[in-house]
Amino acid sequence: MTPEEIEALFTRESGEFLFARWGRPIVPIVFGVEDETLSTVKGAFEAVVTLAGHKMAETDPELGVNCMVFFFRDWKELLDVPDLDRLIPDLAPLVGRLVRADANQYRIFRFEEDGAIRAAFVFLRMDKQLSKIPAETLALSQVVQTILLWSDTAFRTQSPLAVAGETTILRPDIAALIRAAYDPVLPGSAQDASHALRLFARLEPPQ
């Protein structure tokens, strides 16, 4: 992966470079799935967090949980979730936009004062397209897209996952980049594109 390719993964459609990683241990909670899928999603979190060299925790002392994953059939179901409108201001207009766009997924991040990721909300509307994807693949894809603040265009043309034999895995170049991004020497966030060079310098060759 070249510095230019890394820079593109964190450059938004508006042209703004924006990098952020989690600044606190991740405490995920999953809504709307059966126990079997719940363990699959939690397993994906554990795998990606371990890869990053980051931490998970049972509870966040300030927020309780800081990464909420919602599975549902209709965007309007979100309007019935107790207190969600307190966590996400302008929830009703957002739901309206997502309905009009016929979107099947959406992620919202909250940030610390230093710009690192503080919390994340992941919404998955299980339409025909998402329902065809195996739970392991869907969980891994979503966790990878939540472990860093990627560009809004980062995986539009190429998935962060790859297929090896009959197994879906994280692409080795993306795995190496996630590891580099969590180097303790690096800051939790950056808005200067030169950060891509610092990430590039820390890439380990794929095993």
Side-chain angles (χ1 to χ4, degrees):
M1 192 178 281
T2 66
E4 292 77 17
E5 287 170 332
I6 294 171
E7 184 180 331
L9 287 170
F10 300 102
T11 302
R12 308 193 74 73
E13 199 161 28
S14 59
E16 172 191 19
F17 181 91
L18 192 55
F19 164 90
R21 69 185 186 198
W22 284 80
R24 57 178 71 199
I26 300 175
V27 184
I29 187 168
V30 186
F31 299 95
V33 295
E34 297 171 355
D35 288 350
E36 186 180 345
T37 305
L38 175 63
S39 62
T40 298
V41 177
K42 292 250 174 130
F45 270 105
E46 287 164 4
V48 175
V49 168
T50 301
L51 164 76
H54 192 52
K55 292 185 174 70
M56 290 176 67
E58 289 298 317
T59 184
D60 182 300
E62 185 186 353
L63 305 170
V65 296
N66 57 29
C67 188
M68 298 185 177
V69 184
F70 297 85
F71 289 80
F72 50 90
R73 296 283 176 192
D74 189 318
W75 286 112
K76 290 173 182 170
E77 291 175 42
L78 295 181
L79 301 176
D80 298 326
V81 177
D83 297 329
L84 188 60
D85 56 345
R86 286 170 50 197
L87 293 170
I88 301 173
D90 302 320
L91 179 63
L94 172 63
V95 166
R97 289 202 307 275
L98 293 168
V99 168
R100 288 192 295 277
D102 196 29
N104 60 12
Q105 55 186 289
Y106 192 73
R107 281 171 293 280
I108 298 173
F109 292 88
R110 295 281 181 268
F111 301 95
E112 311 278 11
E113 285 187 11
D114 67 357
I117 299 172
R118 178 173 187 246
F121 303 87
V122 180
F123 302 109
L124 298 169
R125 179 175 69 87
M126 298 305 291
D127 61 1
K128 283 183 182 176
Q129 184 184 347
L130 286 190
S131 298
K132 288 178 186 171
I133 301 173
E136 293 85 354
T137 303
L138 185 59
L140 182 59
S141 169
Q142 293 302 320
V143 174
V144 167
Q145 292 180 78
T146 309
I147 195 74
L148 293 171
L149 182 69
W150 305 95
S151 157
D152 47 352
T153 63
F155 303 117
R156 199 173 277 178
T157 57
Q158 188 178 16
S159 168
L161 308 184
V163 176
E166 295 183 2
T167 307
T168 299
I169 61 166
L170 180 55
R171 275 170 39 201
D173 55 342
I174 296 297
L177 183 55
I178 291 171
R179 269 196 300 269
Y182 276 85
D183 185 318
V185 174
L186 294 179
S189 68
Q191 292 178 294
D192 191 308
S194 64
H195 192 71
L197 291 170
R198 302 177 74 183
L199 293 170
F200 176 74
R202 287 163 174 77
L203 285 185
E204 299 170 8
Q207 298 297 314

